[in-house]
């Protein structure tokens, strides 16, 4: 899914603006010795210009019969653009898409089924938060590309002053106890907006619940289950240890900018939030640290929503073999390690987590990514996010509404939206 759901991809990677190295075209062959022209759509800021240049050079050296032409796409309106491309006769050969968008695209019949390639691509080690939404009705259409997820961004100086050791926070109970020590006077123990629903989702998954469940082909909202209600109770307890607004999300106002004012001890954000904090308050640049969101028990980190992208191949591509070669290289171990280091991403396989060991933010993400999830894998979920009754539910509970009654209302709204 587009990482605006993780406080925006540009904030995550802090990458410089990119420009397309060439425009996509419909010519089957470039005029260079009969090389196959491969048109690829990658998303704005998914890779830096430097990494893109290095990958293309390395790929074409290894595959001199393929000429890669990358066109950088904007996130705004990309869903409609991809849908139109899949329905036409001049679709690109490879498309980067948000992981949770794959089910909608696959439903149209426009994506190539890559199920027979999963083993060859090392699918047993894929992050499930990328792999599961890349599948639809038992078939694999999206190949995991890169991931990012939330961590706790904290003030090292405030933690030290309060006598709190961030490395020792492994459970939710320990997190609450530490946050209480940090919540003093004007200082907020945590800034947690009332509608940060992806963070709530992690707590729900921790409890063994989900946002919606499927039975006999029918999906229904599941916020009214005992598991989800326990998660909301914990969210309310944590949110009360700060002054986060009850009726808005992390973007209104931007939570990193709030933390930059100096009175917030921690936020739940992608590591890129630390860059935004430092940009707004240079004095905090060397006073920021990261740790994985704690889980219910010390042995398992908290569940997180996995944002990121998959690569898909349109059925209408004229170069399936070359397209697969491109996907195999970019999602393979060698380039995944380089991509993770260059962009501070989580690699697409759990076995590659060590690639970001020297990056504090990315390594904290990698720990959480092992417990990563995605939103319900159904094309109908897009309609839920359009109105997002989860946010309204959270505000209702935080402002005194009966949790069970409000959860039932929200679950009914989710069910209706998915029909």
């Amino acid at each position: 899914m587009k990482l605006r759901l993780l406080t925006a991809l540009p904030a995550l990677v802090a990458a410089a603006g990119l420009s397309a190295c060439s425009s996509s075209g419909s010519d089957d062959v470039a005029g260079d010795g009969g090389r196959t022209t491969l048109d690829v759509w990658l998303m704005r800021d998914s890779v830096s210009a430097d990494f893109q240049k290095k990958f293309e050079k390395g790929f074409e050296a290894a595959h001199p019969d393929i000429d890669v032409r990358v066109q950088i796409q904007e996130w705004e309106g990309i869903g409609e653009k991809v849908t139109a491309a899949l329905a036409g006769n001049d679709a690109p050969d490879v498309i980067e898409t948000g992981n949770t968008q794959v089910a909608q695209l696959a439903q149209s019949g426009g994506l190539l089924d890559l199920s027979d390639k999963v083993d060859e691509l090392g699918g047993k080690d894929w992050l499930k938060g990328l792999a599961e939404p890349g599948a639809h009705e038992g078939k694999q259409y999206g190949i995991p590309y890169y991931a990012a997820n939330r961590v706790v961004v904290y003030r090292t100086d405030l933690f030290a002053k309060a006598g709190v050791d961030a490395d020792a926070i492994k459970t939710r109970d320990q997190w609450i106890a530490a946050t209480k020590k940090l919540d003093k006077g004007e200082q907020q123990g945590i800034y947690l907006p009332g509608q940060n629903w992806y963070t709530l989702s992690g707590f729900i998954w921790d409890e063994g619940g989900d946002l919606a469940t499927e039975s006999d082909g029918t999906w229904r909202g599941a916020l009214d289950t005992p598991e989800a209600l326990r998660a909301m109770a914990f969210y309310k307890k944590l949110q009360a240890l700060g002054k986060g607004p009850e009726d808005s999300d992390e973007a209104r106002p931007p939570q990193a900018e709030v933390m930059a004012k100096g009175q917030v001890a921690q936020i739940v954000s992608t590591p890129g939030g630390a860059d935004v904090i430092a940009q707004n308050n240079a004095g905090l640049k060397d006073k920021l640290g990261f740790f994985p969101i704690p889980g219910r028990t010390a042995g398992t980190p908290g569940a997180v929503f996995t944002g990121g992208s998959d690569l898909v191949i349109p059925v209408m591509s004229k170069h399936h073999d070359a397209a697969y070669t491109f996907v195999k290289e970019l999602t393979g171990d060698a380039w995944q390690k380089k991509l993770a280091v260059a962009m501070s991403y989580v690699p697409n396989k759990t076995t590659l987590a060590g690639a970001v060991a020297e990056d504090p933010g990315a390594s904290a993400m990698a720990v959480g990514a092992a417990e990563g999830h995605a939103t319900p894998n159904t094309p109908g979920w897009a309609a839920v996010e359009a109105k997002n009754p989860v946010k309204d539910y959270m505000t209702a509970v935080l402002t005194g509404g009966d949790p069970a009654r409000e959860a039932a209302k929200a679950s009914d709204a989710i069910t209706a939206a998915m029909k």
Side-chain angles (χ1 to χ4, degrees), residues 48-412:
S48 66
D50 182 62
F51 179 87
Q52 179 182 324
K53 181 179 179 180
K54 289 178 179 177
F55 174 76
E56 288 185 34
K57 182 178 180 180
F59 178 84
E60 291 182 353
H63 306 281
D65 57 329
I66 301 175
D67 176 25
V68 176
R69 296 184 179 182
V70 174
Q71 185 179 44
I72 299 300
Q73 302 294 320
E74 302 295 337
W75 283 108
E76 187 69 29
I78 190 59
E80 294 83 357
K81 186 171 184 177
V82 171
T83 298
L86 295 180
N89 295 319
D90 58 349
D93 300 294
V94 179
I95 300 175
E96 174 191 347
T97 183
N99 57 329
T100 60
Q101 297 169 345
V102 177
Q104 276 187 297
L105 300 175
Q107 188 182 44
S108 72
L111 299 184
L112 190 67
D113 178 7
L114 298 171
S115 301
D116 63 339
K117 304 296 187 182
V118 172
D119 289 343
E120 182 179 349
L121 295 173
K124 66 182 178 60
D125 296 319
W126 283 340
L127 298 177
K128 65 179 182 179
L130 293 178
E132 290 179 358
H136 179 62
E137 295 184 344
K139 297 180 180 180
Q140 194 74 37
Y141 297 94
I143 304 305
Y145 177 21
Y146 66 83
N149 50 263
R150 289 171 173 79
V151 299
V152 180
V153 180
Y154 73 98
R155 285 275 301 275
T156 56
D157 57 332
L158 297 183
F159 270 56
K161 184 177 180 180
V164 174
D165 180 3
D167 292 336
I169 301 175
K170 302 297 183 184
T171 69
R172 282 193 198 168
D173 288 342
Q174 291 170 341
W175 194 16
I176 289 289
T179 305
K180 285 181 177 178
K181 289 184 179 181
L182 293 157
D183 190 40
K184 296 181 179 180
E186 292 300 312
Q187 180 178 298
Q188 300 182 54
I190 188 169
Y191 180 85
L192 183 60
Q195 295 184 347
N196 191 330
W197 71 286
Y198 280 100
T199 296
L200 172 64
S201 299
F203 300 156
I204 292 174
W205 293 321
D206 275 342
E207 294 287 349
D210 210 332
L211 298 164
T213 56
E214 183 267 338
S215 178
D216 297 327
T218 300
W219 284 85
R220 70 171 302 276
L223 295 179
D224 54 346
T225 62
E227 295 84 358
L229 289 169
R230 288 197 299 269
M232 186 63 218
F234 177 78
Y235 189 100
K236 183 176 182 180
K237 186 177 182 181
L238 183 64
Q239 198 268 344
L241 298 175
K243 300 180 177 67
E246 297 166 332
D247 60 350
S248 64
D249 59 23
E250 59 267 41
R252 298 175 296 128
Q255 63 175 359
E257 294 181 14
V258 174
M259 189 170 180
K261 294 178 181 179
Q263 298 299 319
V264 173
Q266 54 186 329
I267 58 174
V268 179
S269 170
T270 57
D275 296 328
V276 178
I277 294 166
Q279 289 167 11
N280 284 272
N281 186 342
L284 297 182
K285 182 178 180 180
D286 297 321
K287 298 178 180 179
L288 299 170
F290 313 90
F291 61 87
I293 295 174
R296 292 180 63 195
T297 62
T300 305
V304 293
F305 167 74
T306 301
S309 290
D310 284 3
L311 297 178
V312 299
I313 299 175
V315 169
M316 295 303 295
S317 163
K318 301 177 179 66
H319 311 295
H320 287 173
D321 289 344
Y324 174 68
T325 299
F326 179 94
V327 170
K328 183 179 180 181
E329 289 276 1
L330 189 51
T331 64
D333 290 5
W335 283 105
Q336 279 291 301
K337 292 176 182 178
K338 295 175 183 178
L339 179 66
V341 172
M343 303 301 296
S344 293
Y345 286 150
V346 177
N348 63 3
K349 298 184 182 74
T350 56
T351 50
L352 301 179
V356 292
E358 301 302 315
D359 184 325
S363 59
M365 280 200 300
V367 172
E371 295 297 320
H373 294 251
T375 49
N377 190 13
T378 169
W381 186 256
V384 177
E385 289 195 20
K387 294 184 178 180
N388 212 329
V390 184
K391 288 186 174 184
D392 295 335
Y393 156 65
M394 296 173 73
T395 292
V397 173
L398 293 175
T399 54
D402 177 74
R405 182 174 64 249
E406 297 298 339
K409 288 168 54 179
S411 292
D412 288 344

